[in-house]
Amino acid sequence: NSMVSEQEDSKHGIVPFGGSAAHVKTPDKQILGGKGLGLQEMSYVGIDVPPGFTLTTPLCQVFQENGDLPEEMWRQVEAAIQRVEQDMDRKFGDPSYPLLFSCRSGAAISMPGMMDTVLNVGLNKETVEGLAKATGNKRFAYDSFRRLLDMFGDVVLGIPHESFEDKLKGLKAKVGVQDDIDLTAEHLKELCDLYEKVYDEHGKEFPHNPMDQLKACIKAVFGSWNSGRAIKYREVQGITSLLGTACNIQTMVFGNLGPTSGTGVAFSRDPGTGKAVLNGEYLVNAQGEDVVAGIRTPEPISTMEKGFPKAYEQFIRNVHTLEQHFKDMQDVEFTVENERLWMLQCRSGKRTGQAALKIACDLVDEGICTPEEALLKVEPDHVKQVLHPTFSAEALESAVYKENVVAVGLAGGPGAAVGKVVFSTETAEEMTKEGVILVRETTSPEDVGGMWASRGIVTCRGGVTSHAAVVARGWGKPCVVGCDDIDVDMKTKTMTIKETGEEFKEGDVISINGSTGEIVRVAIETTVPALEGEFGKLLGWADEVPDVCRVMANADSGADAQKARDLGAQGIGLCRTEHMFFSPSRLPVVRRWILRDEGLEQVQEFQREDFREIMHVMDGKPVTIRLLDPPLHEFLPHSSEINEKLSKQLGYDDSQALASDIEAMHEENPMLGLRGCRLGIVREGLTAMQTEAIIHAAADLIEKNNDAKPYPRIMVPLIGSVAEFKNQALLIKRTAERVKKERGIDVPYEIGTMIEVPRAALVSDQIAGVTDPEDGKRLCEFFSYGTNDLTQMTLGISRDDAGAFLQVYKDLGIMEEDPFKSIDTEGVGFLLHLSAAKGRMVNPELSLSICGEHGGDAASIKFFDKVGLDYVSCSPFRVPVARLAAGQASV
Amino acid sequence: NSMVSEQEDSKHGIVPFGGSAAHVKTPDKQILGGKGLGLQEMSYVGIDVPPGFTLTTPLCQVFQENGDLPEEMWRQVEAAIQRVEQDMDRKFGDPSYPLLFSCRSGAAISMPGMMDTVLNVGLNKETVEGLAKATGNKRFAYDSFRRLLDMFGDVVLGIPHESFEDKLKGLKAKVGVQDDIDLTAEHLKELCDLYEKVYDEHGKEFPHNPMDQLKACIKAVFGSWNSGRAIKYREVQGITSLLGTACNIQTMVFGNLGPTSGTGVAFSRDPGTGKAVLNGEYLVNAQGEDVVAGIRTPEPISTMEKGFPKAYEQFIRNVHTLEQHFKDMQDVEFTVENERLWMLQCRSGKRTGQAALKIACDLVDEGICTPEEALLKVEPDHVKQVLHPTFSAEALESAVYKENVVAVGLAGGPGAAVGKVVFSTETAEEMTKEGVILVRETTSPEDVGGMWASRGIVTCRGGVTSHAAVVARGWGKPCVVGCDDIDVDMKTKTMTIKETGEEFKEGDVISINGSTGEIVRVAIETTVPALEGEFGKLLGWADEVPDVCRVMANADSGADAQKARDLGAQGIGLCRTEHMFFSPSRLPVVRRWILRDEGLEQVQEFQREDFREIMHVMDGKPVTIRLLDPPLHEFLPHSSEINEKLSKQLGYDDSQALASDIEAMHEENPMLGLRGCRLGIVREGLTAMQTEAIIHAAADLIEKNNDAKPYPRIMVPLIGSVAEFKNQALLIKRTAERVKKERGIDVPYEIGTMIEVPRAALVSDQIAGVTDPEDGKRLCEFFSYGTNDLTQMTLGISRDDAGAFLQVYKDLGIMEEDPFKSIDTEGVGFLLHLSAAKGRMVNPELSLSICGEHGGDAASIKFFDKVGLDYVSCSPFRVPVARLAAGQASV
Ligand SMILES: [Mg+2]
Ligand SMILES: [Mg+2]
């Protein structure tokens, strides 16, 4: 397997770490997984990790293909175990003081809660007694054993966790205690027997042989790669590049050996705000899973400083070392076993958008990394999040907000959300369009779909590193966790405020503030923040990467243009002024022109006004104006709207005549009908009118202010042949020159075309080369790829109608990505490459760009950068993401 | 100019012919025009032609570009005139015995009546007296002069011919004669004065200087190239390749010098039937224009044998020489001047389809040319004509026919037509869809549009070589000419049968028999003839050309398949069995399946039956079956058809529910929606059902007859990606193999795909290369290019909606050809080339073909042959044309 042989030290598929393990020369995250890599790197920089070994991802592939693992591998596992036994001076399965293992999954991309873990592997009726004796803690030994029985049953054999929980509850009721901690060693021993009965009840058997346990666990980890929830998570996240998961077998160390032990998780910086303060949680006498699963609400990490000062000091040093080594904020797990610190895991920490920006900037300020390296630490989603709604300062100060806070929990994920309360994933998915907030006692991996479908998440239990909070922050969703003020009843679908008894039913609207943990009983207005501070700084770095693909915006009005400029757009790449035709005062005028061919000059006035405003806002930057594109019938009333009044207004004697004129304009396939440049060619006066409006608007600005620098670029849509372009371009040029002469004002302008019909891509050399017969100069100064239409036509798929089959295609794996979201590189991308090559062959100065949805998609921008485009244009709101993606693509 | 310099002898742009003229080394029709070439070739083979010279087509281009001709050229014209003067021993403009010239246009493609001619150039008040003295025929001299005045005024100066006619009529009335011939020399001299007054009335002047006359005529000829009617003719005929017209200046010889002179036109074989008998007309004491214009009805050529035996004998020799030289049937014009024969023009004669086939076969039989040469003498239109309607033998024998013949004229163009009588070009064009027959006193070039719009043509005057007949035969339109039995009144729009007074008004239906000249007062049934005799022989030669692109047919039923087989199709290239879903007994079943998912097995039964029938008819030949392609809503009732009964029939409780289900299936752009393979992928069971039906049908035939050789090819439509094809191909293969196993019958079959989505063309290598993971074998055995959809998507033009702009595009010259008629070679053709190369690179054995309208278009077939396709498929009726075109393309 080529993937393995590249990794010199891991070509056998099993890679040791910790203790005496040699460092891997070229550690590869794809092969080792994130967790495995972290363990390698930690031992490399001299940090104590419990020794163990990683079964690499190619073995997961082997398992997926064969449903089993080869004998040869098991012999290597045994050798790896022996190495650990020597380092730890204990033996796996040794009844006197057994070495125990954890068995954890770990893919190259962190998938929280998605993959399964089994702890305490190696315990059985014999070794549990040895552990009890060796640790002098029988209660601990049996607690460990019952945890193994539970997890093994659940994860490996598919026995529902609830079956074990029922026994635990029954026992607690029987002995009359509230908390697990109050159960004695004997109780737990009894519980182990009860758990073994659960196996019997499910017709299963617990393997008492430690090696059998380990083998079963490894297979379960590899098997979990294709569990439904793992597949769902990858689908939601669009993860397609992974080989599989690695499986990490690691010596167990115990945080639950008593008061000198403990366990914790921490972020080296605040994952919510990005502030450079250690942010962690710690539980004394507990095992790590307790923290992550949110079963017990942990204490802040400062607790550890008091109880375990030496371990804490070491921990701080470790965290610092890791940040320097990885040049990034770290998310770590650790255990203190009898006052000795062991690091269990480290990885780049998930963070909110705000935190990502601050951390990136701080790392540069602290000299830890360069601006370009920092750029790569910010994900497009982070930028999206920062643009996500929050409650405005005024809203937060208002009485309506303050007086309606009904509960406060922990701030699990910053931001604001307003939506209808729902209590299950199913309902969340069903009602997603209405905007929902998912309220759960606690979330588990099964809830991933519902969380994705929700605007915000609330849980009653769990801390800021609980599943709910981690996932929510990853997605930039506001989240309130560990909200003890509320009770949730799944059966009656009710959320109750404990103190007042106030009830919220499914569908009731609430607001949540993920930055403060507050829950508000009414809808509070949200706002979107502007570019500022780190945000602007970081995107500035992105803009400055050499040879970066510039970012412009699609804007149809002065307001849009202003937003685009505010968000850093370097011009307008697509202005579709016909969008403004729909305003109530204009629509009747536009309709009269369409139907009766009257009042073109009034339409021109509207356009001139719009263009003036946009060019004023964008002064000094290019404004690319597309000539009228949509089929004219899009502006006409629907048959149900036709009445006598409307008919009179549009200059008809009766509604019958109007209806019949509208009917005559019906098209079978309007997308491929009379639109784009076809309108300009067929409809008398249209192109001249628009050109006049543009040049007049620019001249108006210059007339008013001599320093004004309007720069219109006139773009002809839907060109399919050089003859079409030549016809329109000459008309535009003659008109523009005439207006300039009439006004006596020199307006600089460009003429170009959209390339969005496949044929245009094929004859791009002709289009780029066509000249004005009068002066011999080239007519086309730019191409802008209209990737929406180009995708529709190249794939033969109408976006409006694709809903009926695209989901099936994704489910069947026939299509991996929605081609309207991320560019289809093989088909549409080929045409783009071909057209760009043909165009630049004829005219090396030809400006090439994208307008359309793909212009704001990070993956697509990477491709466009490779093609060598000059700029992308996307909606103003997506400009920051595009700037980041463009910068990253060029680093 | 490169066009000229290639033509060594004509690089100065003026080429002499006749008399002492040297022969051009490489005569080029594009440069000399058809008429100029004929004159060159005739003098080359030793035939007497009046000497003269040709102004070549590049000079026409010079004229079009500059609106004038260079001085240098006029000096060359003078030199050319001197050469002729020496040969004829007379001088141009010599008052004692002037040399006169004709000035005629002549492009590379004959455009009858389209270009203008002026005769007797060189006459004026002085020279006319000289001519009178020299010929001793004053009447002739003034007749010639008044003709010059008329033609020059009309053609060069735009004075309406009618203005001169009015003077002629007035004079005849004044002197009390009926016919022109009865006017004396003095009358004609007076007429010349009257004609000069017409010039005055129109503010024009007749140039008495002969050289001025000639210059003006030459400019008029070149100018007429872009006259409205010439442009119209080229548009109708799709002529785009010409450089312009040449202009031929030729010594005038006179057929109207008296009883020892005459003029005639002849075809070396019968242009209507193709029989090898000289077919001509002759007029004593007349000038050629009289014959062509149909002003006087001429006598058969046998008249000439009696009156001019020596000239006739020479004429017969000339005709024979020309046929041998040009290897084709000749259309000649000649004049006898005082018993001396002069050939004025020769060209390949226009002929009916039937004649074209017979002549081609006869020329081979007579050893004049080879079968492959003969093939090139038949045009696609000829084949279409032979397939055009005629009256069946039974209809011709019937009483209803015989008793309703109301008039008989000359057989101007064979075939039968039934339609509504119209009397003007405008009305013919307006009513063309209703089917019209144009009835005119005589036709002129202005009527070309109306003739094109009509099913048949009737004229009262003119012979079988009159304008009407020549144009009609060229287009294969039935035509009755010189029908003296009827009167036409344009004002009252009435055709009256002279003998009975029976009147036919605009809109009355008549039938005409262009093979007999009969006009019938009622509609007579028409039939289409089958392949037989020369037709079969010729197409057989076409099929046998080495490396010819084969021809298959599109057929959706057994009857279609039978027609296809009868017309020589080598298989079915496209079977769209869903066309049969619309039959009344099936539609409800299909609709229930679509809407309620019930009764798929019944639908399968229909399909199985259809497939069995088609494969039975095509036994031994491939039958390519396309899986269901159209959007399912195409089969559903329109909202206006929905009622309670229909709803119940389709299994609905009420029509509201049905309407809402139908509404839910509405698509914005159905062409790019849920159709083609997307149906097969999304709709459970569909592809398996169709595959079962196909394989079962084939197995049924084999079961019934062990010698049966059904050969289905299963074709997946609308593939855009390799994943789509793989999904469907594996489903088809597994299903087919299962059915074969179940039946215990080995059915050979192929799996392939349509390439009709642009993206499929771009990834054709992947599609051609995809394999079955079970046996490693390739899944795709053929590509069939669906050029209809491929054109729609590549050009972004919906054929249904293109009417709104394609005509404007053609008018503006933005599009030369309808891309749905003739393949767009630059765009769609590029994709086709690319896909074919990619496919064959992966699999050199890959079968490549066309299905779609372009498969029957001769121009497109030429392109497909170059691409190297294996076959084209077209509608059965177009198979013969396609076979011819394919054969010609490969010669
Ligand atoms: Mg577009
Ligand atoms: Mg198709």
Side-chain angles (χ1 to χ4, degrees), chain B residues 626 629 675 718 754 756 786 789:
Chain B
R626 180 180 70 182
D629 182 61
R675 52 172 289 228
L718 216 74
M754 290 188 76
E756 52 185 336
D789 269 319

Side-chain angles (χ1 to χ4, degrees), chain A residues 666-674 677-678 681-682 718 721 723-724 727 757-760 762-763 766 792-798 800-801 804-805 808-809 812-814 824 826-828 830-831 834 838, chain B residues 666-674 677-678 681-682 718 721 723-724 727 757-760 762-763 766 792-798 800-801 804-805 808-809 812-814 824 826-828 830-831 834 838:
Chain A
H666 170 80
E667 292 185 307
E668 291 298 316
N669 294 284
M671 193 189 301
L672 308 181
L674 181 53
C677 68
R678 297 163 195 174
I681 291 168
V682 167
L718 217 75
S721 71
E724 284 176 316
N727 173 290
V757 170
R759 192 181 190 281
L762 302 176
V763 299
Q766 293 178 23
Q792 295 194 104
M793 294 179 199
T794 304
L795 273 60
I797 297 178
S798 156
D800 295 331
D801 304 311
F805 55 93
V808 179
Y809 271 39
L812 293 175
I814 290 177
D824 158 41
E826 286 187 339
V828 179
F830 175 87
L831 286 182
L834 182 74
K838 282 183 168 229
Chain B
H666 170 81
E667 293 185 308
E668 290 298 318
N669 294 283
M671 193 189 300
L672 308 181
L674 181 53
C677 69
R678 298 163 193 174
I681 291 167
V682 166
L718 216 74
S721 72
E724 285 176 316
N727 173 291
V757 171
R759 192 181 190 282
L762 302 176
V763 300
Q766 293 179 24
Q792 295 195 101
M793 295 179 199
T794 305
L795 273 59
I797 297 177
S798 156
D800 295 332
D801 303 311
F805 55 93
V808 179
Y809 271 40
L812 293 176
I814 290 177
D824 158 40
E826 287 187 341
V828 179
F830 176 88
L831 286 181
L834 181 75
K838 283 186 167 227

